[in-house]
Every structure is written in structure tokens, then in C-alpha cells.
Amino acid sequence: MNRRRALSREEILRMLDLDDHVEHDSDISFSPEETSSESEEETVPLPRPVVARSITSRQTLRGRGGSARRTSRNRIGARGRGSTDDNNGWLEPPNPFGLISEEDIPTYTGVSGMKVPLPTDRTPLGYFTLFVDNVVIDRFVLETNKFAKQVKEHLPDFYYLKRWNCDTGTDSTEMRKLIGILMAMGVVSKPTERSYWSTNSIMETPFFKKVMPRDRFLALFTFWHLNDNEEAPLPGSPDYDKLYKIQPFFSHLQERFSSVYYPEENMAVDESVMPWRGRVAWRQFIANKPCRYGMKLYFLCESSSGYIVKMKMYTGKDGNKREVDHGPNVVKALTEDYRNKGHTIFTDSFFTSSDLVTYMQENGTSYVGTVLKHRRGNPTDISSKDMKVAKGKTVVRQKNNVVAVRYNDRKDFMLLSSKFTAEPVDTGKTVRLTREQRQRGEEARNAVKPMLVHEYNKSMNGVDHFDQHLSYYSFNRKTVKWWKRAATHLLHMAVVQAMILFNKYEDKPKPQADFVLDLVMQLTNCGVVERQDPADPHAERQDGEILAGDDERQGNDEAAAGEVEAAAGGVEAEEPPQKRMRVKPMDFERLSHADNPHRLVPNPPTAKRMRAVRNCECCTIASGKKQTYIRRGQTSYMCKACKVPLCPDPCFSIYHSTKDYKREMRRYYSINGEEE
């Protein structure tokens, strides 16, 4: 039976001796005689060990605080790999702030701006189709119809097949309406999808039921697909792709984002989280993100506008292989097409390493980023945890043309830069004084920070701006399919990209809410498209297109003609037209003829009459108090699309062609516009 014994003082010192007894890292054996003699010699109290070096054969040293199971590899990694004698090649710079020659800084040779012509339709829909064009819509239609047929083969009694004709399926117009409804759901927030078609007076929104019936929307969203399931490669095959479900759409957006626009000199690399709490193998948890659970995306974006030029989705590590230099490899992959053009890349501490800064500098790209103090290759003297830096002070080291700066502002951190030094600059912001400083009569002063810190703060928040736009009016719907959440998220990204370009190149930028609403009205064919300046009387238009301001120009022309006629023949001129009325969404549907057939049908029967008679909406003209009628017209017909009672002639045509149809009817029946 093995009996435990206490280690002697010499044995413990031999195990803790890190410099002189490295050969004792192997298994240690003891003889009984040696143990008894050494244990009786001395009972001197031993100091508590701080760190244990490479104790093998599952031997551990336990103190009062618990286990001290640290290996030599962990200890070396905490201070960076490489010799501590040469400080990893870092030296004190010639001046306190570092010195980088301008000849060694790459010159920006790119041409920022649109790489394709601006859309002929300078509307939100025109910019949106730069990314989601007819190719994408046709692919959606093809795969959706194909998946519906596959469901019918395996589940012929599936509920949503009752409202689905597999022979006709869906088309591109209906697919655009589906996307428009999803966008509208992001603006109008309701608890469930079915509540958007609710007839409850509190929750009712007529827009949705006029664009598409509820069951048709649910069936279309259920069968919506982006790729063919039957051709999906099996796990373990060489061509297996975890993103197969969304790969065609993801690759298309990836190509369009980079081919439509070329970024400015400063770009930022950062991670973003696509909200998702469902089941997927590569779901991530990032504690410092607004959405802590989700699928992680890496973005390369323009620092000033937040426009995404390249992206990559993280799908976990490859098999059981250990990921080495994952962050630097992401930066290399995202910036592959933008090297040797003088760009400046800004990243955070997740990506930065001294080897990456050197690599980017050798490939004609400047680099600025925060770095973890224990990262390998850092200057060991200023990355020590024992070193304290006073607030507002900097400590600088330099290796070739790369500057390492440790700076303490609100917290202590470290940066690497191949372009900017630690020279202090005025940020233009005023330092807030404390109560004691104000009592002492101190005056406010501008904040002064190192140049690389100031430039980093200005250019690192591009991805944060894009994420901020993504957090507004998100149309992600509740689903158990991860790829549907990813697909709606990618559509939302395309909307934000289109809005960034629209506000960059149009004279009148639009807030995000107005941009999304205009895009919804155009996708669902429920809006009036302002293609040119409404004040231009010679504006060109398509056949049957109605431009905002038509009625105002028509009223002004008629008033001018009336004045000329009165001056020539003594005829009393008509009074000037009334003030222009604002076009409402109901007017959009009434005046729009595309995909909205207006036709007369009999009024629905009532309890007393098989063919009910109702007051015509157009030719029934009430007095100001709406108690008596100047003219009252009754009809037994109604418009099927508008659900409004109308006389066949001329009310039906006037109602669907004139904005202020009441004024037109007064003119038609020669009724004075002045109400009694």
C-alpha cells in the first residue's frame, strides 16, 4: 500500500529552481532512506511559491489559494515568445514620440467612388437594385418554386399547399412584394406575423392586406428558398459547405459590395454579430456586444461612411485543428484585394500583432491598431503588468518603422502603428473640469492626445456606424431556420448599403426611416415615384406615370387660362385653385394602376336588398358641416380594388386619375366651389 509523504525542503527547491535545474522537469523519484533522513534534518518554514515550472506526472503544488498548475509554456506565453534580453528587437526611439520617415509610408493610389454608373432611376429602389437585382430575384423565384414541388412530393397534405399552385408558383413581382412586406414589418412593429393582417381596430394596418393576403404571405415565406436542397453536399465530402443554404446570395452580395464602390484611404476591420439564439454549430457568445448571442461576421469597411467592401462569416474551426493566428489571418483575407495601394487599416486588439503590422507594411499598407500586452513579439519592457504609466503619459518603443506606444487615458492600453507616432496633437475637444478645478479658477482647455490615438478614435468606428444602422428597423422574423435569419439579415445589409450610397450621391439625403418607407412603396407598387423635379413642367415620364405636383400645375394652368378668357371676353374668372393637398398612401393605391386592377363590381348584398345602393364617393358633394348634400349621387357599383362605391361614368375614371376628385366633379357639374 503506497503511503504519502511530505516533500523535503531540498526537493521543493530543486523543483522550483527555474534557471539552474531545468533538467529536473522530468519525473522525480525518491528513495525511502533519503526521505526519512531529510525530513528529520530541518523543519524551517518555506516561503509560499508564486509560480510552478513544468511539473510533470500530474504533480501539483497546492498553497492556500488552491492549485498552482501553471506550466513553463504558459509562463513564457504571458510575457511573449522570444528572448527577453534583446526586448524582441524593440529599442527606445530617437525622440520621445517615435520617428517614422514619410518615405516609408505608402502613398494612397486608389480612386475612391462609384465603379459603376449611377442608376438611371435615382430613387431608393434604383440604388437597392445595384445589389439585389433581377438575377437575385429570379434565383429566389426558381428555388422557391422548386422547394414547393419538393414539399408536395413528400408532404402532399401540407397546410400551406392548399393556397399554392405548384404549376404557376410565384413570380418576380410577388417576390418583390414579399421583400417589401418584410421591410415594412421592420418599421411597423407588432407581436406576431398574423397580427399585421388583424382586423382589430387597434392593431389594423390596411397596407399589408392590400399588398398580399395573409395566408399567401405565410405560404410564400414558408417556401422561400435560396438554394436547392437536393444538390446539397453531405457533411464530410470534399465540397461540403456549411453556408450552402445561403451561399449563392452571400457570394453575390460579396461581389456586388466590392464591385460597385471603391473605398477611401482609411478602412477598418472589426467583427459584428448577427442576432441568433437558435441552434447552429457556429453560434458565438461575445459579452461586450449589444447582441451577445449570434453568428459572427467580419467586415472590412470604409471608416468615414461605414460602407462594407468585404465580409466573411465565421463558421467555426476546421475540424479538430488548432486555430493559430486567427485574427491576423482574417485581416489578411479581407484586405487581399486592397494591398499595395496605400490604404491604412485600423483594427482592435483581437486582430493586431507585431508580425501582422510588419507583413502589411511590406505589402504597401499602413496599419494602426490596439494590441494585447501579452501578444508575442511585443516589447517586453513596456508590456509588463508590473509597469505603471501615469495618466496622460506615454511610453514609446520602436522597431524599424513600427512604433509601439503604451498610453494611459481612462485606462491603460497599448497600440502598434506603422504610420502615426505618439506626437501630441490637439483633438479640438474641451476637457471637462471637475468641481475642484472650477473652484480653483482653472480655465477649460482642449484635450491633447497622441496622434495615433486621435487617428484611431476617428477611423475605427466605421463598423460600429454600420451596426447602428442595422439596429434600426430590422425586419428579422422569428424562425427556427438559421439560414432564413441570415438571408433577412443580408437583405437588411443591402438596404443600408443602398442608403449610404444614396445619401452620398444625391442632393437631398433621406433619413433611414424615409428611405425604407420609399423603398417599400416602390417594391410593392403602391407609391408615386418622383423621378424628376416636380417644379419642372417639362418633366419626362413613362406611359401612365403620375408625378407629384401634376394637379398643382394643372390647376395653375387652368387658372391662368381663365384669367386670359375673362380679360378678353368679360367672362368671370374662376377663383384660384385650392392649396395643394399632400399625397397620402391611400392616394398612391388609388392612382396607381400597376399590378392593382381597378374594375367595377356590384355592391355586396345587405339583409334587405340583394343589390345595395350606396352614395357615390366621387359625385356626392356634402356641405361644409356635412349635414346636407349639395349633390347626392347613388350607385349600385363599387371598385373591387379600392372598395369604394362609384358611378360607372364619369366617376370611375375621374376617381382613379385625379388627386382632388371632388374639385374635378364640381367643375364637371358646374357647381360653385364655395360651399353653403
Side-chain angles (χ1 to χ4, degrees):
M1 181 176 181
N2 295 333
R3 304 180 64 182
R4 295 183 179 180
R5 66 175 180 82
L7 297 178
S8 65
R9 182 175 184 274
E10 293 183 359
E11 292 171 346
I12 295 177
L13 291 177
R14 190 186 316 123
M15 295 169 63
L16 292 177
D17 194 349
L18 304 181
D19 296 326
D20 300 331
H21 301 280
V22 179
E23 66 274 10
H24 294 290
D25 285 345
S26 58
D27 294 347
I28 302 174
S29 59
F30 306 96
S31 61
E33 298 81 5
E34 203 174 355
T35 303
S36 59
S37 61
E38 290 175 356
S39 59
E40 295 174 358
E41 287 178 359
E42 297 183 14
T43 58
V44 180
L46 300 178
R48 182 182 176 183
V50 179
V51 178
R53 171 84 182 271
S54 184
I55 303 175
T56 59
S57 300
R58 297 184 179 179
Q59 299 177 12
T60 60
L61 294 177
R62 296 186 178 272
R64 297 178 184 177
S67 174
R69 191 190 286 255
R70 290 190 181 180
T71 63
S72 60
R73 177 181 299 178
N74 291 339
R75 190 178 182 219
I76 294 175
R79 297 295 300 272
R81 301 177 187 176
S83 174
T84 57
D85 298 336
D86 59 356
N87 201 22
N88 288 333
W90 296 89
L91 304 173
E92 293 187 6
N95 58 51
F97 311 119
L99 182 62
I100 299 178
S101 174
E102 294 184 359
E103 298 177 355
D104 298 325
I105 299 176
T107 304
Y108 177 63
T109 58
V111 180
S112 174
M114 296 290 293
K115 299 171 66 175
V116 298
L118 289 174
T120 55
D121 185 8
R122 306 288 286 272
T123 61
L125 180 60
Y127 282 88
F128 181 70
T129 52
L130 290 175
F131 309 109
V132 183
D133 52 9
N134 294 332
V135 176
V136 175
I137 300 297
D138 293 342
R139 180 64 182 255
F140 289 173
V141 172
L142 175 65
E143 298 300 337
T144 300
N145 292 333
K146 188 183 298 184
F147 179 69
K149 293 179 180 179
Q150 295 171 1
V151 172
K152 188 176 181 179
E153 292 177 0
H154 296 86
L155 299 172
D157 297 331
F158 188 62
Y159 174 76
Y160 289 112
L161 286 173
K162 299 176 182 178
R163 292 186 174 270
W164 189 273
N165 188 349
C166 290
D167 296 333
T168 58
T170 185
D171 55 12
S172 58
T173 301
E174 194 174 36
M175 187 59 64
R176 289 187 178 89
K177 289 185 178 182
L178 172 68
I179 297 174
I181 290 176
L182 291 174
M183 294 181 186
M185 288 180 174
V187 179
V188 182
S189 179
K190 293 190 179 183
T192 62
E193 290 180 349
R194 292 179 177 270
S195 60
Y196 286 94
W197 284 265
S198 173
T199 57
N200 185 287
S201 58
I202 298 176
M203 301 185 65
E204 184 177 12
T205 305
F207 167 80
F208 295 94
K209 63 181 67 175
K210 291 184 178 180
V211 174
M212 186 181 296
R214 181 198 64 191
D215 290 350
R216 180 62 178 178
F217 168 81
L218 295 176
L220 188 58
F221 189 67
T222 301
F223 295 135
W224 183 42
H225 255 64
L226 280 64
N227 212 349
D228 189 1
N229 290 343
E230 295 183 348
E231 298 180 1
L234 297 176
S237 59
D239 54 348
Y240 175 68
D241 185 6
K242 295 181 179 179
L243 301 179
Y244 175 82
K245 288 279 192 177
I246 62 170
Q247 192 59 53
F249 187 38
F250 187 85
S251 301
H252 177 86
L253 289 184
Q254 177 85 280
E255 187 273 332
R256 295 302 296 170
F257 287 170
S258 58
S259 62
V260 168
Y261 179 81
Y262 192 85
E264 298 175 355
E265 177 181 358
N266 294 338
M267 295 192 293
V269 175
D270 204 354
E271 57 188 4
S272 176
V273 177
M274 180 191 306
W276 177 251
R277 282 182 172 266
R279 298 179 61 180
V280 69
W282 52 91
R283 190 186 68 171
Q284 297 285 300
F285 172 80
I286 303 179
N288 60 350
K289 292 292 183 181
C291 301
R292 298 185 298 170
Y293 291 92
M295 293 172 277
K296 185 162 65 173
L297 288 164
Y298 296 115
F299 289 152
L300 172 65
C301 73
E302 186 182 58
S303 297
S304 60
S305 64
Y307 180 88
I308 303 297
V309 295
K310 205 164 186 181
M311 59 183 176
K312 179 181 180 181
M313 181 177 288
Y314 177 71
T315 57
K317 62 181 181 180
D318 185 11
N320 295 324
K321 297 179 181 179
R322 180 189 175 192
E323 290 184 318
V324 180
D325 293 335
H326 174 69
N329 290 336
V330 169
V331 177
K332 294 176 183 179
L334 292 177
T335 60
E336 182 178 2
D337 298 334
Y338 299 94
R339 298 175 193 163
N340 297 312
K341 296 182 180 180
H343 286 282
T344 303
I345 306 299
F346 295 84
T347 66
D348 59 14
S349 57
F350 178 79
F351 305 94
T352 308
S353 68
S354 62
D355 295 338
L356 177 62
V357 179
T358 304
Y359 174 83
M360 298 299 288
Q361 190 180 28
E362 293 173 353
N363 286 271
T365 305
S366 301
Y367 193 99
V368 181
T370 56
V371 63
L372 298 176
K373 298 185 183 70
H374 63 267
R375 228 9 108 73
R376 65 182 180 188
N378 288 348
T380 56
D381 57 345
I382 68 173
S383 61
S384 172
K385 293 182 179 180
D386 300 332
M387 181 179 182
K388 303 297 181 182
V389 180
K391 186 174 181 179
K393 301 298 182 180
T394 59
V395 181
V396 183
R397 294 293 181 268
Q398 186 166 348
K399 182 168 67 173
N400 299 329
N401 290 315
V402 180
V403 173
V405 177
R406 186 165 178 178
Y407 176 65
N408 187 3
D409 188 9
R410 294 184 179 179
K411 69 175 185 177
D412 189 358
F413 58 95
M414 189 171 175
L415 300 97
L416 298 180
S417 172
S418 62
K419 183 176 181 179
F420 304 106
T421 63
E423 183 179 356
V425 295
D426 188 353
T427 62
K429 298 181 179 180
T430 304
V431 178
R432 182 179 298 179
L433 299 179
T434 62
R435 180 182 300 178
E436 292 77 8
Q437 290 175 335
R438 290 195 299 269
Q439 290 176 353
R440 291 196 300 265
E442 296 185 12
E443 296 182 356
R445 53 185 176 81
N446 290 342
V448 177
K449 291 185 178 181
M451 182 185 297
L452 78 166
V453 176
H454 178 58
E455 295 294 334
Y456 179 85
N457 291 338
K458 287 197 309 181
S459 303
M460 185 54 205
N461 53 6
V463 176
D464 295 334
H465 285 165
F466 191 84
D467 285 342
Q468 183 180 7
H469 288 302
L470 285 178
S471 65
Y472 301 147
Y473 317 115
S474 173
F475 48 87
N476 290 328
R477 308 312 308 160
K478 184 176 181 180
T479 177
V480 296
K481 304 295 184 181
W482 70 266
W483 66 265
K484 282 194 175 181
R485 171 58 59 84
T488 54
H489 190 82
L490 292 174
L491 282 173
H492 196 187
M493 288 178 56
V495 173
V496 175
Q497 294 278 79
M499 185 197 65
I500 292 174
L501 294 183
F502 181 90
N503 292 338
K504 198 179 187 71
Y505 288 99
E506 295 301 322
D507 297 333
K508 296 181 180 179
K510 290 188 176 184
Q512 187 170 351
D514 295 345
F515 184 89
V516 174
L517 286 176
D518 291 349
L519 182 56
V520 169
M521 300 301 285
Q522 291 178 290
L523 284 172
T524 57
N525 291 325
C526 292
V528 175
V529 183
E530 297 184 4
R531 299 185 184 277
Q532 294 194 11
D533 185 4
D536 184 7
H538 305 290
E540 297 180 359
R541 65 195 72 192
Q542 298 178 356
D543 294 339
E545 181 185 5
I546 300 173
L547 295 180
D550 280 355
D551 294 330
E552 183 180 6
R553 291 194 294 271
Q554 180 181 0
N556 293 338
D557 295 342
E558 292 175 353
E563 293 177 359
V564 173
E565 183 179 358
V571 181
E572 183 179 358
E574 296 182 2
E575 56 180 46
Q578 298 178 359
K579 187 177 180 180
R580 178 187 178 188
M581 298 174 59
R582 184 179 180 182
V583 180
K584 301 178 181 179
M586 294 294 292
D587 294 329
F588 292 161
E589 300 169 9
R590 175 171 60 85
L591 299 175
S592 176
H593 295 270
D595 298 321
N596 193 10
H598 298 284
R599 63 177 182 272
L600 286 174
V601 295
N603 287 333
T606 62
K608 295 182 179 181
R609 304 184 64 174
M610 289 297 296
R611 194 164 185 176
V613 177
R614 301 166 61 188
N615 292 339
C616 177
E617 173 68 22
C618 195
C619 64
T620 300
I621 304 174
S623 64
K625 298 181 181 179
K626 297 185 182 293
Q627 295 178 353
T628 60
Y629 292 96
I630 299 177
R631 187 186 188 283
R632 182 177 181 181
Q634 292 187 331
T635 179
S636 58
Y637 294 95
M638 63 179 290
C639 177
K640 183 179 181 180
C642 301
K643 308 295 183 184
V644 172
L646 293 170
C647 297
D649 184 61
C651 301
F652 181 79
S653 60
I654 293 177
Y655 180 80
H656 293 104
S657 60
T658 307
K659 182 177 63 177
D660 192 355
Y661 55 88
K662 292 290 187 182
R663 187 177 65 185
E664 182 65 24
M665 291 306 298
R666 289 192 185 98
R667 186 180 297 109
Y668 182 83
Y669 287 107
S670 300
I671 297 178
N672 190 354
E674 206 173 308
E675 297 176 352
E676 297 178 0

